[in-house]
Amino acid sequence: MKKKERKLYLKLNVRMFGEFRISNEDGMLNTESIRSEMLTRLLTYMLCHRNKRLTAQELIDVLWSENESENPIGALKNLMYRLRNCLKKVWGDYEFILTGKGTYKWNPEIVLNVDTEKFEYCCKNMINAESVEEQLWMGKKAIELYQGVFLPKLSEEYWVISMSTYYHSMYLDIVKKLVRLMEKEKRYSEVEEVCQKAFKTEPLDEEIHCFMLRALIANNKQKLALEHYKQTERYLYDVIGVRPSKEMQEIYEKLQQIQHDHESNIDVIQEELKEQKLPSGAFLCEYGVFRKIYILESRSGKRMGISVHLVLISLQPNFQISKEDGSYLNVIREEMEVLKTTLLNCMRSSDVICKYSVNQFLVMLPACKYEDAKMVIERLKDQFYKMEKTNKVILQYSICEIDDI
């Protein structure tokens, strides 16, 4: 086989986002083809710090924990030898790594085109661009380059964690700057595209969800906006146990107004307002609607002299478990579904319920005295334990009368 001709200058493309890969038209190396985690760790660290001389001790500290190697200097020399051979097998007899007195450095004559550096350049220069179109181009290029988290297969390395956090924070910042500019320029379909991509790596950022909702509404996609809001609301409850932000709730209210922003007659409106089937239990709604009903019931109760009580029902695991533990959420999610079913089946059709947090429900009991409210919740508690059966959680509750608004 004819030996590959050695080029005078070597240029390589390096990808760090989403996966690791170093390549050009002549060949490619990635995690799979290197087939050694230690070689991958050494190569990626040298590439990320190629503009400085790295001491042997620094590389040893990165590659081996304390006492992991009896002869770390020898182990490093051996690893460096293997890395040079690995690179030469693909691109020929270049001096990829320069050796000094107790130091190593990537050869600056081997030119690297690195996605993280191009990404950082676009992010830092977007705002200083001379025109809106140039700003948009820079922002789009930046999010195109961000193909996923930084070096995901080395995500437990301490130096990777800090750099990954840095780049991810920069990515979210550029996404928001870009969609804010697109929103200002009324480029709503592009806002949708950028937000959808951002959700793949950061599904919990409510500010980006707000941009998405406004874009859907502006593009007359009210039904999709409503679905997106409800999906996001459920996701926020299930994953981190929080309600949507005030801004998201305001967008939801605006969406409801838009859906009925056309002339109609009272018969049509009455048909719209009717439930599709007869009520069979309590009224389940999201927190924003619950809050509106709370205000109405408070005013009505004050005017008519009728007591309205608010109940907060909480579930706690019946054993020692940290909230950070994955099993905590699994238990709570499962038992919250049982509680929801119990509430819907046992409460009156005039009672209103909503999920308040990952482990709590709110219940509103109109026209109900304190003694009656306590009796209702105790009965609910008994029914819940009958359905729950496994004794995994403890149901706790507190009752108070709704104050005047």
Side-chain angles (χ1 to χ4, degrees), residues 36-291:
S36 166
E37 185 179 329
M38 289 295 286
L39 283 180
T40 303
R41 287 164 65 190
L42 176 58
L43 176 57
T44 52
Y45 191 83
M46 293 207 69
L47 293 175
C48 289
H49 300 84
R50 72 182 189 280
N51 294 322
K52 65 179 240 184
R53 286 195 170 275
L54 301 169
T55 65
Q57 188 58 53
E58 180 179 347
L59 291 172
I60 288 167
D61 291 341
V62 167
L63 295 167
W64 292 282
S65 58
E66 194 174 351
N67 300 324
E68 193 175 326
S69 174
E70 293 181 1
N71 180 17
I73 292 291
L76 177 61
K77 287 180 179 178
N78 179 57
L79 197 65
M80 200 65 73
Y81 173 78
R82 289 171 56 201
L83 177 58
R84 286 184 170 113
N85 283 340
C86 183
L87 292 164
K88 287 177 180 180
K89 280 181 183 178
V90 181
W91 290 290
D93 194 22
Y94 290 93
E95 193 174 5
F96 290 92
I97 298 163
L98 306 177
T99 304
K101 192 175 180 180
T103 64
Y104 298 93
K105 187 178 190 298
W106 183 266
N107 187 348
E109 291 185 1
I110 297 173
V111 180
L112 299 181
N113 181 21
V114 188
D115 60 349
T116 55
E117 293 173 5
K118 292 193 292 181
F119 168 77
E120 198 166 357
Y121 174 84
C122 289
C123 289
K124 290 182 176 178
N125 287 277
M126 176 186 168
I127 299 305
N128 298 324
E130 294 181 359
S131 66
V132 169
E133 285 303 318
E134 193 176 348
Q135 287 180 18
L136 289 168
W137 185 90
M138 282 277 193
K140 288 178 183 178
K141 187 64 181 174
I143 63 170
E144 178 189 319
L145 286 163
Y146 193 86
Q147 293 295 311
V149 295
F150 177 75
L151 295 177
K153 292 191 176 179
L154 299 176
S155 59
E156 294 183 2
E157 298 292 309
Y158 74 89
W159 67 274
V160 173
I161 291 170
S162 61
M163 292 185 74
S164 180
T165 302
Y166 168 73
Y167 287 126
H168 191 62
S169 175
M170 188 176 286
Y171 171 69
L172 292 179
D173 183 57
I174 203 68
V175 163
K176 291 170 188 179
K177 285 177 181 175
L178 180 60
V179 293
R180 194 173 288 116
L181 181 57
M182 287 174 168
E183 193 175 63
K184 185 179 177 183
E185 295 294 311
K186 299 184 174 11
R187 299 167 77 147
Y188 301 114
S189 295
E190 292 178 63
V191 172
E192 288 182 48
E193 290 175 17
V194 173
C195 290
Q196 286 287 13
K197 184 179 187 299
F199 294 145
K200 292 176 182 177
T201 55
E202 187 50 74
L204 291 171
D205 193 299
E206 291 187 70
E207 192 176 350
I208 298 175
H209 282 291
C210 288
F211 281 115
M212 180 68 168
L213 288 168
R214 286 195 294 268
L216 289 169
I217 293 168
N219 277 336
N220 294 314
K221 298 177 180 177
Q222 281 79 17
K223 187 176 179 182
L224 282 175
L226 186 61
E227 289 173 3
H228 184 81
Y229 176 87
K230 290 183 176 179
Q231 286 173 1
T232 305
E233 180 192 38
R234 283 195 299 271
Y235 192 72
L236 291 171
Y237 275 134
D238 290 344
V239 176
I240 55 176
V242 299
R243 301 187 306 278
S245 65
K246 184 179 178 182
E247 184 182 4
M248 274 193 73
Q249 291 179 42
E250 287 172 353
I251 293 172
Y252 175 67
E253 289 175 9
K254 180 183 176 183
L255 177 60
Q256 290 182 310
Q257 291 170 6
I258 291 171
Q259 286 184 306
H260 299 97
D261 194 21
H262 61 272
E263 289 188 18
S264 189
N265 62 60
I266 195 165
D267 294 327
V268 173
I269 293 170
Q270 189 175 32
E271 282 302 312
E272 287 181 355
L273 291 172
K274 282 181 183 177
E275 288 190 280
Q276 296 302 307
K277 57 182 180 180
L278 291 174
S280 58
F283 176 64
L284 175 65
C285 60
E286 58 89 31
Y287 180 76
V289 174
F290 187 95
R291 189 170 178 274

